[in-house]
Amino acid sequence: MSVEVPPPNSMSAYERKRWADLQAHWKKKAEGRKAPLPPKARAALRSSVEATKSAALHAGKKVADATPEKVKDAAGGMVDVALVPTVHNIVQLLELLNDWVVELTDPEKVLAYHREQGRKVESIEDLRHLDLKDLEDLTNRMALKWRTIGAGEGAALGSLSMIPVPVLGSAAAMGLDLIAMQALTGAIATRVCYSYGYDAKDPEMKHVIDRMVARAYKNQVAKVGSVKRASDAFRVTKDRVNWSQKLRDDHRLMAAVEKLLKQVGDGKRVPVKNARMGMPMIAVFAGAATNSHILSDTVKQARHFGATMLLAEKYGLELPPNLRRDIEEGTKEAE
């Protein structure tokens, strides 16, 4: 793919550098992409994503409706003492999540930022007349911010998955996690679209946002498996004293922790309860690492898209073929 060079006196130095970087990004992305799926396979993938989203929405609603009452139960001693604060804190996390989504999807917040900088903008579309550097002053630190927030959110929900089933349970916690990530990835992509002067409700933009949400679901598969295995092992070994070969075979994650602790302890016997206490840490790390990556990656991909669309439209440049193809496919699906 050849790099299209804009007219020398039209772009600012910042915009010219960004355009070159963006062309390199899309070229690398095109080269790394696997052969496109046939139509039937793409349809099956979309159906799978929709089914997952539907199941997550159902689970998340149940958790959100039940959590306050369950918190009261938890305070009565139904869970391990070390995990009680997690149940309480998750209610605050749900409220904070709602605040984040509301703020991120409000275009007035973007306009207010630019007005504070002395820029006269009346609508989102007015932002497209600004220099790209001015627009990216707002989005430059978003990746770092959401990498940090994602780590905290993933860690909290990873801990929540350790709560015994009568109180909450791993399935409900993971359902809530999927809902949180769906809401946040969609909201982050929406904020970035607004930041580059595009209405997130436009069909083209909506298609791109939906793709980012689907991408986030796909990237959570490994995390969900790790969290579930850790939660199952933590649950079935409560009050367990002795190891058995069946326990090691059924819960290999915990057996691996036992082996690691043996190596650290010069081969000494590792009690079941010691290996069990490693399960919350695995769930926390799996949730934190995955969600941190997903949210920061969503910011980066949305910024690449927004900046490319803006510069191409502003200076009459051709969109990279793979980006143009994605947009055209989305337009056809929407018709």
Side-chain angles (χ1 to χ4, degrees), residues 109-145:
K109 298 290 185 181
V110 176
L111 293 174
Y113 169 82
H114 286 287
R115 288 166 184 157
E116 288 172 3
Q117 308 306 311
R119 298 165 193 144
K120 295 181 180 180
V121 290
E122 299 298 328
S123 66
I124 286 294
E125 289 73 18
D126 289 344
L127 298 179
R128 297 184 215 172
H129 301 295
L130 299 178
D131 189 88
L132 183 62
K133 186 179 186 305
D134 294 333
L135 300 182
E136 295 200 324
D137 283 345
L138 179 59
T139 63
N140 274 334
R141 296 186 62 81
M142 278 186 72
L144 177 60
K145 173 184 176 180

PDB file of all heavy atoms in Angstrom, residues 109-145:
ATOM      1  N   LYS A 109     -19.418  17.542  26.971  1.00  0.00           N
ATOM      2  CA  LYS A 109     -18.178  17.518  27.751  1.00  0.00           C
ATOM      3  C   LYS A 109     -16.978  17.819  26.851  1.00  0.00           C
ATOM      4  O   LYS A 109     -16.022  18.479  27.256  1.00  0.00           O
ATOM      5  CB  LYS A 109     -17.992  16.147  28.410  1.00  0.00           C
ATOM      6  CG  LYS A 109     -19.080  15.771  29.398  1.00  0.00           C
ATOM      7  CD  LYS A 109     -19.012  16.621  30.652  1.00  0.00           C
ATOM      8  CE  LYS A 109     -20.029  16.156  31.685  1.00  0.00           C
ATOM      9  NZ  LYS A 109     -20.003  16.980  32.909  1.00  0.00           N
ATOM     10  N   VAL A 110     -17.021  17.320  25.617  1.00  0.00           N
ATOM     11  CA  VAL A 110     -15.941  17.570  24.657  1.00  0.00           C
ATOM     12  C   VAL A 110     -15.934  19.034  24.251  1.00  0.00           C
ATOM     13  O   VAL A 110     -14.882  19.686  24.218  1.00  0.00           O
ATOM     14  CB  VAL A 110     -16.096  16.666  23.416  1.00  0.00           C
ATOM     15  CG1 VAL A 110     -15.026  16.981  22.373  1.00  0.00           C
ATOM     16  CG2 VAL A 110     -16.033  15.191  23.819  1.00  0.00           C
ATOM     17  N   LEU A 111     -17.122  19.568  23.949  1.00  0.00           N
ATOM     18  CA  LEU A 111     -17.214  20.971  23.545  1.00  0.00           C
ATOM     19  C   LEU A 111     -16.775  21.890  24.686  1.00  0.00           C
ATOM     20  O   LEU A 111     -16.093  22.895  24.461  1.00  0.00           O
ATOM     21  CB  LEU A 111     -18.645  21.289  23.129  1.00  0.00           C
ATOM     22  CG  LEU A 111     -19.137  20.602  21.851  1.00  0.00           C
ATOM     23  CD1 LEU A 111     -20.619  20.885  21.628  1.00  0.00           C
ATOM     24  CD2 LEU A 111     -18.323  21.035  20.645  1.00  0.00           C
ATOM     25  N   ALA A 112     -17.153  21.542  25.919  1.00  0.00           N
ATOM     26  CA  ALA A 112     -16.787  22.365  27.069  1.00  0.00           C
ATOM     27  C   ALA A 112     -15.270  22.446  27.230  1.00  0.00           C
ATOM     28  O   ALA A 112     -14.721  23.508  27.551  1.00  0.00           O
ATOM     29  CB  ALA A 112     -17.424  21.802  28.343  1.00  0.00           C
ATOM     30  N   TYR A 113     -14.594  21.318  26.976  1.00  0.00           N
ATOM     31  CA  TYR A 113     -13.125  21.310  27.074  1.00  0.00           C
ATOM     32  C   TYR A 113     -12.520  22.317  26.111  1.00  0.00           C
ATOM     33  O   TYR A 113     -11.641  23.113  26.480  1.00  0.00           O
ATOM     34  CB  TYR A 113     -12.588  19.911  26.776  1.00  0.00           C
ATOM     35  CG  TYR A 113     -11.087  19.882  26.586  1.00  0.00           C
ATOM     36  CD1 TYR A 113     -10.227  19.845  27.680  1.00  0.00           C
ATOM     37  CD2 TYR A 113     -10.529  19.926  25.300  1.00  0.00           C
ATOM     38  CE1 TYR A 113      -8.845  19.852  27.506  1.00  0.00           C
ATOM     39  CE2 TYR A 113      -9.152  19.926  25.125  1.00  0.00           C
ATOM     40  CZ  TYR A 113      -8.318  19.891  26.226  1.00  0.00           C
ATOM     41  OH  TYR A 113      -6.946  19.908  26.054  1.00  0.00           O
ATOM     42  N   HIS A 114     -12.974  22.309  24.869  1.00  0.00           N
ATOM     43  CA  HIS A 114     -12.388  23.200  23.862  1.00  0.00           C
ATOM     44  C   HIS A 114     -12.761  24.666  24.128  1.00  0.00           C
ATOM     45  O   HIS A 114     -11.947  25.567  23.874  1.00  0.00           O
ATOM     46  CB  HIS A 114     -12.833  22.775  22.465  1.00  0.00           C
ATOM     47  CG  HIS A 114     -12.149  21.524  22.007  1.00  0.00           C
ATOM     48  ND1 HIS A 114     -10.824  21.484  21.634  1.00  0.00           N
ATOM     49  CD2 HIS A 114     -12.611  20.241  21.894  1.00  0.00           C
ATOM     50  CE1 HIS A 114     -10.491  20.250  21.296  1.00  0.00           C
ATOM     51  NE2 HIS A 114     -11.557  19.479  21.448  1.00  0.00           N
ATOM     52  N   ARG A 115     -13.954  24.901  24.653  1.00  0.00           N
ATOM     53  CA  ARG A 115     -14.322  26.279  24.991  1.00  0.00           C
ATOM     54  C   ARG A 115     -13.445  26.823  26.112  1.00  0.00           C
ATOM     55  O   ARG A 115     -13.084  27.997  26.125  1.00  0.00           O
ATOM     56  CB  ARG A 115     -15.800  26.328  25.384  1.00  0.00           C
ATOM     57  CG  ARG A 115     -16.742  26.135  24.196  1.00  0.00           C
ATOM     58  CD  ARG A 115     -18.157  25.848  24.639  1.00  0.00           C
ATOM     59  NE  ARG A 115     -19.021  25.562  23.493  1.00  0.00           N
ATOM     60  CZ  ARG A 115     -20.161  24.860  23.585  1.00  0.00           C
ATOM     61  NH1 ARG A 115     -20.556  24.389  24.759  1.00  0.00           N
ATOM     62  NH2 ARG A 115     -20.875  24.633  22.504  1.00  0.00           N
ATOM     63  N   GLU A 116     -13.091  25.926  27.047  1.00  0.00           N
ATOM     64  CA  GLU A 116     -12.193  26.341  28.135  1.00  0.00           C
ATOM     65  C   GLU A 116     -10.806  26.711  27.602  1.00  0.00           C
ATOM     66  O   GLU A 116     -10.089  27.510  28.215  1.00  0.00           O
ATOM     67  CB  GLU A 116     -12.061  25.211  29.157  1.00  0.00           C
ATOM     68  CG  GLU A 116     -13.313  25.007  30.008  1.00  0.00           C
ATOM     69  CD  GLU A 116     -13.217  23.764  30.870  1.00  0.00           C
ATOM     70  OE1 GLU A 116     -12.145  23.098  30.838  1.00  0.00           O
ATOM     71  OE2 GLU A 116     -14.204  23.434  31.556  1.00  0.00           O
ATOM     72  N   GLN A 117     -10.447  26.143  26.453  1.00  0.00           N
ATOM     73  CA  GLN A 117      -9.150  26.450  25.831  1.00  0.00           C
ATOM     74  C   GLN A 117      -9.245  27.685  24.927  1.00  0.00           C
ATOM     75  O   GLN A 117      -8.281  28.032  24.235  1.00  0.00           O
ATOM     76  CB  GLN A 117      -8.662  25.259  24.992  1.00  0.00           C
ATOM     77  CG  GLN A 117      -8.640  23.922  25.726  1.00  0.00           C
ATOM     78  CD  GLN A 117      -7.845  23.978  27.008  1.00  0.00           C
ATOM     79  OE1 GLN A 117      -6.711  24.472  27.020  1.00  0.00           O
ATOM     80  NE2 GLN A 117      -8.422  23.474  28.097  1.00  0.00           N
ATOM     81  N   GLY A 118     -10.418  28.326  24.903  1.00  0.00           N
ATOM     82  CA  GLY A 118     -10.593  29.542  24.115  1.00  0.00           C
ATOM     83  C   GLY A 118     -10.963  29.291  22.662  1.00  0.00           C
ATOM     84  O   GLY A 118     -10.863  30.209  21.839  1.00  0.00           O
ATOM     85  N   ARG A 119     -11.389  28.085  22.342  1.00  0.00           N
ATOM     86  CA  ARG A 119     -11.776  27.763  20.963  1.00  0.00           C
ATOM     87  C   ARG A 119     -13.279  27.933  20.796  1.00  0.00           C
ATOM     88  O   ARG A 119     -14.056  27.390  21.590  1.00  0.00           O
ATOM     89  CB  ARG A 119     -11.351  26.335  20.622  1.00  0.00           C
ATOM     90  CG  ARG A 119      -9.841  26.156  20.689  1.00  0.00           C
ATOM     91  CD  ARG A 119      -9.406  24.711  20.710  1.00  0.00           C
ATOM     92  NE  ARG A 119      -7.987  24.624  21.076  1.00  0.00           N
ATOM     93  CZ  ARG A 119      -7.462  23.650  21.823  1.00  0.00           C
ATOM     94  NH1 ARG A 119      -8.233  22.667  22.276  1.00  0.00           N
ATOM     95  NH2 ARG A 119      -6.181  23.651  22.107  1.00  0.00           N
ATOM     96  N   LYS A 120     -13.673  28.647  19.771  1.00  0.00           N
ATOM     97  CA  LYS A 120     -15.090  28.928  19.548  1.00  0.00           C
ATOM     98  C   LYS A 120     -15.727  27.781  18.760  1.00  0.00           C
ATOM     99  O   LYS A 120     -15.617  27.710  17.535  1.00  0.00           O
ATOM    100  CB  LYS A 120     -15.251  30.248  18.799  1.00  0.00           C
ATOM    101  CG  LYS A 120     -14.765  31.448  19.608  1.00  0.00           C
ATOM    102  CD  LYS A 120     -14.954  32.747  18.845  1.00  0.00           C
ATOM    103  CE  LYS A 120     -14.458  33.941  19.671  1.00  0.00           C
ATOM    104  NZ  LYS A 120     -14.631  35.221  18.939  1.00  0.00           N
ATOM    105  N   VAL A 121     -16.377  26.888  19.456  1.00  0.00           N
ATOM    106  CA  VAL A 121     -17.052  25.757  18.824  1.00  0.00           C
ATOM    107  C   VAL A 121     -18.486  25.701  19.331  1.00  0.00           C
ATOM    108  O   VAL A 121     -18.740  25.808  20.528  1.00  0.00           O
ATOM    109  CB  VAL A 121     -16.328  24.423  19.116  1.00  0.00           C
ATOM    110  CG1 VAL A 121     -15.007  24.358  18.383  1.00  0.00           C
ATOM    111  CG2 VAL A 121     -16.098  24.229  20.612  1.00  0.00           C
ATOM    112  N   GLU A 122     -19.414  25.562  18.396  1.00  0.00           N
ATOM    113  CA  GLU A 122     -20.837  25.505  18.746  1.00  0.00           C
ATOM    114  C   GLU A 122     -21.384  24.090  18.658  1.00  0.00           C
ATOM    115  O   GLU A 122     -22.368  23.762  19.313  1.00  0.00           O
ATOM    116  CB  GLU A 122     -21.638  26.430  17.813  1.00  0.00           C
ATOM    117  CG  GLU A 122     -21.246  27.889  17.900  1.00  0.00           C
ATOM    118  CD  GLU A 122     -21.481  28.468  19.294  1.00  0.00           C
ATOM    119  OE1 GLU A 122     -22.430  28.011  19.962  1.00  0.00           O
ATOM    120  OE2 GLU A 122     -20.711  29.348  19.712  1.00  0.00           O
ATOM    121  N   SER A 123     -20.763  23.263  17.833  1.00  0.00           N
ATOM    122  CA  SER A 123     -21.260  21.902  17.641  1.00  0.00           C
ATOM    123  C   SER A 123     -20.075  20.952  17.462  1.00  0.00           C
ATOM    124  O   SER A 123     -18.937  21.396  17.239  1.00  0.00           O
ATOM    125  CB  SER A 123     -22.160  21.828  16.401  1.00  0.00           C
ATOM    126  OG  SER A 123     -21.389  22.067  15.226  1.00  0.00           O
ATOM    127  N   ILE A 124     -20.357  19.668  17.541  1.00  0.00           N
ATOM    128  CA  ILE A 124     -19.319  18.656  17.353  1.00  0.00           C
ATOM    129  C   ILE A 124     -18.668  18.799  15.977  1.00  0.00           C
ATOM    130  O   ILE A 124     -17.456  18.661  15.834  1.00  0.00           O
ATOM    131  CB  ILE A 124     -19.915  17.234  17.530  1.00  0.00           C
ATOM    132  CG1 ILE A 124     -20.179  16.962  19.021  1.00  0.00           C
ATOM    133  CG2 ILE A 124     -18.999  16.174  16.965  1.00  0.00           C
ATOM    134  CD1 ILE A 124     -18.931  16.894  19.877  1.00  0.00           C
ATOM    135  N   GLU A 125     -19.480  19.088  14.965  1.00  0.00           N
ATOM    136  CA  GLU A 125     -18.946  19.223  13.606  1.00  0.00           C
ATOM    137  C   GLU A 125     -17.913  20.345  13.507  1.00  0.00           C
ATOM    138  O   GLU A 125     -16.985  20.276  12.693  1.00  0.00           O
ATOM    139  CB  GLU A 125     -20.083  19.474  12.608  1.00  0.00           C
ATOM    140  CG  GLU A 125     -20.992  18.285  12.350  1.00  0.00           C
ATOM    141  CD  GLU A 125     -21.926  17.978  13.509  1.00  0.00           C
ATOM    142  OE1 GLU A 125     -22.127  18.871  14.376  1.00  0.00           O
ATOM    143  OE2 GLU A 125     -22.437  16.841  13.582  1.00  0.00           O
ATOM    144  N   ASP A 126     -18.032  21.372  14.336  1.00  0.00           N
ATOM    145  CA  ASP A 126     -17.076  22.487  14.308  1.00  0.00           C
ATOM    146  C   ASP A 126     -15.660  22.031  14.657  1.00  0.00           C
ATOM    147  O   ASP A 126     -14.678  22.682  14.269  1.00  0.00           O
ATOM    148  CB  ASP A 126     -17.503  23.581  15.303  1.00  0.00           C
ATOM    149  CG  ASP A 126     -18.743  24.323  14.847  1.00  0.00           C
ATOM    150  OD1 ASP A 126     -19.099  24.218  13.657  1.00  0.00           O
ATOM    151  OD2 ASP A 126     -19.372  25.003  15.683  1.00  0.00           O
ATOM    152  N   LEU A 127     -15.545  20.946  15.389  1.00  0.00           N
ATOM    153  CA  LEU A 127     -14.222  20.465  15.802  1.00  0.00           C
ATOM    154  C   LEU A 127     -13.362  20.059  14.605  1.00  0.00           C
ATOM    155  O   LEU A 127     -12.136  20.098  14.674  1.00  0.00           O
ATOM    156  CB  LEU A 127     -14.365  19.266  16.753  1.00  0.00           C
ATOM    157  CG  LEU A 127     -15.096  19.525  18.070  1.00  0.00           C
ATOM    158  CD1 LEU A 127     -15.167  18.244  18.892  1.00  0.00           C
ATOM    159  CD2 LEU A 127     -14.405  20.630  18.870  1.00  0.00           C
ATOM    160  N   ARG A 128     -13.995  19.678  13.508  1.00  0.00           N
ATOM    161  CA  ARG A 128     -13.234  19.208  12.345  1.00  0.00           C
ATOM    162  C   ARG A 128     -12.427  20.322  11.695  1.00  0.00           C
ATOM    163  O   ARG A 128     -11.545  20.059  10.876  1.00  0.00           O
ATOM    164  CB  ARG A 128     -14.180  18.586  11.306  1.00  0.00           C
ATOM    165  CG  ARG A 128     -14.897  17.347  11.815  1.00  0.00           C
ATOM    166  CD  ARG A 128     -15.725  16.722  10.717  1.00  0.00           C
ATOM    167  NE  ARG A 128     -16.952  16.136  11.244  1.00  0.00           N
ATOM    168  CZ  ARG A 128     -17.933  15.659  10.498  1.00  0.00           C
ATOM    169  NH1 ARG A 128     -17.830  15.720   9.169  1.00  0.00           N
ATOM    170  NH2 ARG A 128     -19.007  15.131  11.037  1.00  0.00           N
ATOM    171  N   HIS A 129     -12.725  21.560  12.049  1.00  0.00           N
ATOM    172  CA  HIS A 129     -11.977  22.684  11.479  1.00  0.00           C
ATOM    173  C   HIS A 129     -10.734  23.028  12.305  1.00  0.00           C
ATOM    174  O   HIS A 129      -9.918  23.846  11.891  1.00  0.00           O
ATOM    175  CB  HIS A 129     -12.881  23.918  11.372  1.00  0.00           C
ATOM    176  CG  HIS A 129     -14.105  23.694  10.526  1.00  0.00           C
ATOM    177  ND1 HIS A 129     -14.036  23.433   9.174  1.00  0.00           N
ATOM    178  CD2 HIS A 129     -15.420  23.661  10.855  1.00  0.00           C
ATOM    179  CE1 HIS A 129     -15.257  23.266   8.696  1.00  0.00           C
ATOM    180  NE2 HIS A 129     -16.117  23.393   9.690  1.00  0.00           N
ATOM    181  N   LEU A 130     -10.594  22.411  13.458  1.00  0.00           N
ATOM    182  CA  LEU A 130      -9.434  22.667  14.304  1.00  0.00           C
ATOM    183  C   LEU A 130      -8.247  21.834  13.841  1.00  0.00           C
ATOM    184  O   LEU A 130      -8.403  20.828  13.148  1.00  0.00           O
ATOM    185  CB  LEU A 130      -9.754  22.315  15.768  1.00  0.00           C
ATOM    186  CG  LEU A 130     -10.900  23.091  16.436  1.00  0.00           C
ATOM    187  CD1 LEU A 130     -11.099  22.563  17.856  1.00  0.00           C
ATOM    188  CD2 LEU A 130     -10.621  24.582  16.449  1.00  0.00           C
ATOM    189  N   ASP A 131      -7.059  22.243  14.245  1.00  0.00           N
ATOM    190  CA  ASP A 131      -5.879  21.438  13.941  1.00  0.00           C
ATOM    191  C   ASP A 131      -5.944  20.142  14.740  1.00  0.00           C
ATOM    192  O   ASP A 131      -6.442  20.110  15.872  1.00  0.00           O
ATOM    193  CB  ASP A 131      -4.606  22.211  14.315  1.00  0.00           C
ATOM    194  CG  ASP A 131      -3.354  21.509  13.821  1.00  0.00           C
ATOM    195  OD1 ASP A 131      -2.953  21.762  12.675  1.00  0.00           O
ATOM    196  OD2 ASP A 131      -2.785  20.690  14.597  1.00  0.00           O
ATOM    197  N   LEU A 132      -5.447  19.075  14.143  1.00  0.00           N
ATOM    198  CA  LEU A 132      -5.497  17.768  14.789  1.00  0.00           C
ATOM    199  C   LEU A 132      -4.808  17.797  16.159  1.00  0.00           C
ATOM    200  O   LEU A 132      -5.254  17.120  17.096  1.00  0.00           O
ATOM    201  CB  LEU A 132      -4.842  16.717  13.892  1.00  0.00           C
ATOM    202  CG  LEU A 132      -4.879  15.275  14.411  1.00  0.00           C
ATOM    203  CD1 LEU A 132      -6.308  14.775  14.564  1.00  0.00           C
ATOM    204  CD2 LEU A 132      -4.095  14.348  13.481  1.00  0.00           C
ATOM    205  N   LYS A 133      -3.750  18.563  16.283  1.00  0.00           N
ATOM    206  CA  LYS A 133      -3.045  18.627  17.569  1.00  0.00           C
ATOM    207  C   LYS A 133      -3.969  19.142  18.672  1.00  0.00           C
ATOM    208  O   LYS A 133      -3.932  18.642  19.804  1.00  0.00           O
ATOM    209  CB  LYS A 133      -1.815  19.537  17.465  1.00  0.00           C
ATOM    210  CG  LYS A 133      -0.956  19.540  18.737  1.00  0.00           C
ATOM    211  CD  LYS A 133       0.257  20.425  18.584  1.00  0.00           C
ATOM    212  CE  LYS A 133       1.168  20.304  19.809  1.00  0.00           C
ATOM    213  NZ  LYS A 133       0.459  20.589  21.073  1.00  0.00           N
ATOM    214  N   ASP A 134      -4.804  20.137  18.358  1.00  0.00           N
ATOM    215  CA  ASP A 134      -5.745  20.657  19.348  1.00  0.00           C
ATOM    216  C   ASP A 134      -6.735  19.578  19.782  1.00  0.00           C
ATOM    217  O   ASP A 134      -7.088  19.475  20.964  1.00  0.00           O
ATOM    218  CB  ASP A 134      -6.504  21.856  18.784  1.00  0.00           C
ATOM    219  CG  ASP A 134      -5.588  23.049  18.528  1.00  0.00           C
ATOM    220  OD1 ASP A 134      -4.555  23.145  19.228  1.00  0.00           O
ATOM    221  OD2 ASP A 134      -5.896  23.858  17.645  1.00  0.00           O
ATOM    222  N   LEU A 135      -7.191  18.789  18.822  1.00  0.00           N
ATOM    223  CA  LEU A 135      -8.151  17.717  19.140  1.00  0.00           C
ATOM    224  C   LEU A 135      -7.493  16.642  19.992  1.00  0.00           C
ATOM    225  O   LEU A 135      -8.109  16.114  20.929  1.00  0.00           O
ATOM    226  CB  LEU A 135      -8.702  17.104  17.844  1.00  0.00           C
ATOM    227  CG  LEU A 135      -9.438  18.053  16.899  1.00  0.00           C
ATOM    228  CD1 LEU A 135      -9.959  17.288  15.691  1.00  0.00           C
ATOM    229  CD2 LEU A 135     -10.588  18.759  17.614  1.00  0.00           C
ATOM    230  N   GLU A 136      -6.257  16.323  19.673  1.00  0.00           N
ATOM    231  CA  GLU A 136      -5.607  15.216  20.369  1.00  0.00           C
ATOM    232  C   GLU A 136      -5.036  15.629  21.728  1.00  0.00           C
ATOM    233  O   GLU A 136      -4.614  14.764  22.499  1.00  0.00           O
ATOM    234  CB  GLU A 136      -4.539  14.593  19.473  1.00  0.00           C
ATOM    235  CG  GLU A 136      -5.174  13.952  18.247  1.00  0.00           C
ATOM    236  CD  GLU A 136      -4.303  12.919  17.578  1.00  0.00           C
ATOM    237  OE1 GLU A 136      -3.072  13.103  17.543  1.00  0.00           O
ATOM    238  OE2 GLU A 136      -4.869  11.913  17.081  1.00  0.00           O
ATOM    239  N   ASP A 137      -5.082  16.904  22.040  1.00  0.00           N
ATOM    240  CA  ASP A 137      -4.762  17.317  23.407  1.00  0.00           C
ATOM    241  C   ASP A 137      -5.729  16.662  24.392  1.00  0.00           C
ATOM    242  O   ASP A 137      -5.379  16.388  25.541  1.00  0.00           O
ATOM    243  CB  ASP A 137      -4.862  18.844  23.550  1.00  0.00           C
ATOM    244  CG  ASP A 137      -3.659  19.560  22.944  1.00  0.00           C
ATOM    245  OD1 ASP A 137      -2.643  18.880  22.686  1.00  0.00           O
ATOM    246  OD2 ASP A 137      -3.745  20.778  22.718  1.00  0.00           O
ATOM    247  N   LEU A 138      -6.959  16.417  23.921  1.00  0.00           N
ATOM    248  CA  LEU A 138      -7.983  15.808  24.772  1.00  0.00           C
ATOM    249  C   LEU A 138      -7.848  14.291  24.859  1.00  0.00           C
ATOM    250  O   LEU A 138      -8.196  13.697  25.877  1.00  0.00           O
ATOM    251  CB  LEU A 138      -9.376  16.174  24.233  1.00  0.00           C
ATOM    252  CG  LEU A 138     -10.585  15.614  24.987  1.00  0.00           C
ATOM    253  CD1 LEU A 138     -10.588  16.077  26.442  1.00  0.00           C
ATOM    254  CD2 LEU A 138     -11.871  16.041  24.299  1.00  0.00           C
ATOM    255  N   THR A 139      -7.328  13.659  23.816  1.00  0.00           N
ATOM    256  CA  THR A 139      -7.305  12.184  23.785  1.00  0.00           C
ATOM    257  C   THR A 139      -5.933  11.580  24.077  1.00  0.00           C
ATOM    258  O   THR A 139      -5.824  10.367  24.237  1.00  0.00           O
ATOM    259  CB  THR A 139      -7.764  11.670  22.403  1.00  0.00           C
ATOM    260  OG1 THR A 139      -6.854  12.116  21.392  1.00  0.00           O
ATOM    261  CG2 THR A 139      -9.163  12.169  22.074  1.00  0.00           C
ATOM    262  N   ASN A 140      -4.893  12.429  24.158  1.00  0.00           N
ATOM    263  CA  ASN A 140      -3.529  11.901  24.291  1.00  0.00           C
ATOM    264  C   ASN A 140      -3.331  11.004  25.502  1.00  0.00           C
ATOM    265  O   ASN A 140      -2.618  10.000  25.431  1.00  0.00           O
ATOM    266  CB  ASN A 140      -2.515  13.062  24.355  1.00  0.00           C
ATOM    267  CG  ASN A 140      -2.102  13.512  22.969  1.00  0.00           C
ATOM    268  OD1 ASN A 140      -2.151  12.750  22.009  1.00  0.00           O
ATOM    269  ND2 ASN A 140      -1.709  14.767  22.852  1.00  0.00           N
ATOM    270  N   ARG A 141      -3.915  11.349  26.628  1.00  0.00           N
ATOM    271  CA  ARG A 141      -3.689  10.590  27.858  1.00  0.00           C
ATOM    272  C   ARG A 141      -4.809   9.610  28.176  1.00  0.00           C
ATOM    273  O   ARG A 141      -4.815   8.984  29.236  1.00  0.00           O
ATOM    274  CB  ARG A 141      -3.484  11.550  29.039  1.00  0.00           C
ATOM    275  CG  ARG A 141      -2.231  12.418  28.891  1.00  0.00           C
ATOM    276  CD  ARG A 141      -1.982  13.249  30.132  1.00  0.00           C
ATOM    277  NE  ARG A 141      -1.750  12.443  31.319  1.00  0.00           N
ATOM    278  CZ  ARG A 141      -0.577  11.885  31.629  1.00  0.00           C
ATOM    279  NH1 ARG A 141       0.460  12.042  30.830  1.00  0.00           N
ATOM    280  NH2 ARG A 141      -0.441  11.175  32.728  1.00  0.00           N
ATOM    281  N   MET A 142      -5.741   9.461  27.249  1.00  0.00           N
ATOM    282  CA  MET A 142      -6.864   8.563  27.512  1.00  0.00           C
ATOM    283  C   MET A 142      -6.430   7.110  27.651  1.00  0.00           C
ATOM    284  O   MET A 142      -6.973   6.372  28.479  1.00  0.00           O
ATOM    285  CB  MET A 142      -7.917   8.677  26.404  1.00  0.00           C
ATOM    286  CG  MET A 142      -8.867   9.845  26.575  1.00  0.00           C
ATOM    287  SD  MET A 142     -10.192   9.848  25.331  1.00  0.00           S
ATOM    288  CE  MET A 142     -11.191   8.454  25.898  1.00  0.00           C
ATOM    289  N   ALA A 143      -5.461   6.679  26.844  1.00  0.00           N
ATOM    290  CA  ALA A 143      -5.033   5.277  26.899  1.00  0.00           C
ATOM    291  C   ALA A 143      -4.457   4.942  28.269  1.00  0.00           C
ATOM    292  O   ALA A 143      -4.789   3.905  28.863  1.00  0.00           O
ATOM    293  CB  ALA A 143      -4.014   4.987  25.797  1.00  0.00           C
ATOM    294  N   LEU A 144      -3.593   5.818  28.786  1.00  0.00           N
ATOM    295  CA  LEU A 144      -3.006   5.582  30.101  1.00  0.00           C
ATOM    296  C   LEU A 144      -4.075   5.602  31.185  1.00  0.00           C
ATOM    297  O   LEU A 144      -4.096   4.748  32.080  1.00  0.00           O
ATOM    298  CB  LEU A 144      -1.947   6.646  30.395  1.00  0.00           C
ATOM    299  CG  LEU A 144      -1.294   6.578  31.783  1.00  0.00           C
ATOM    300  CD1 LEU A 144      -0.587   5.249  31.976  1.00  0.00           C
ATOM    301  CD2 LEU A 144      -0.308   7.727  31.955  1.00  0.00           C
ATOM    302  N   LYS A 145      -4.988   6.549  31.096  1.00  0.00           N
ATOM    303  CA  LYS A 145      -6.059   6.662  32.091  1.00  0.00           C
ATOM    304  C   LYS A 145      -6.897   5.389  32.133  1.00  0.00           C
ATOM    305  O   LYS A 145      -7.159   4.840  33.204  1.00  0.00           O
ATOM    306  CB  LYS A 145      -6.943   7.866  31.761  1.00  0.00           C
ATOM    307  CG  LYS A 145      -8.188   7.969  32.644  1.00  0.00           C
ATOM    308  CD  LYS A 145      -9.069   9.127  32.209  1.00  0.00           C
ATOM    309  CE  LYS A 145     -10.353   9.169  33.033  1.00  0.00           C
ATOM    310  NZ  LYS A 145     -11.234  10.304  32.634  1.00  0.00           N
TER     311      LYS A 145
END
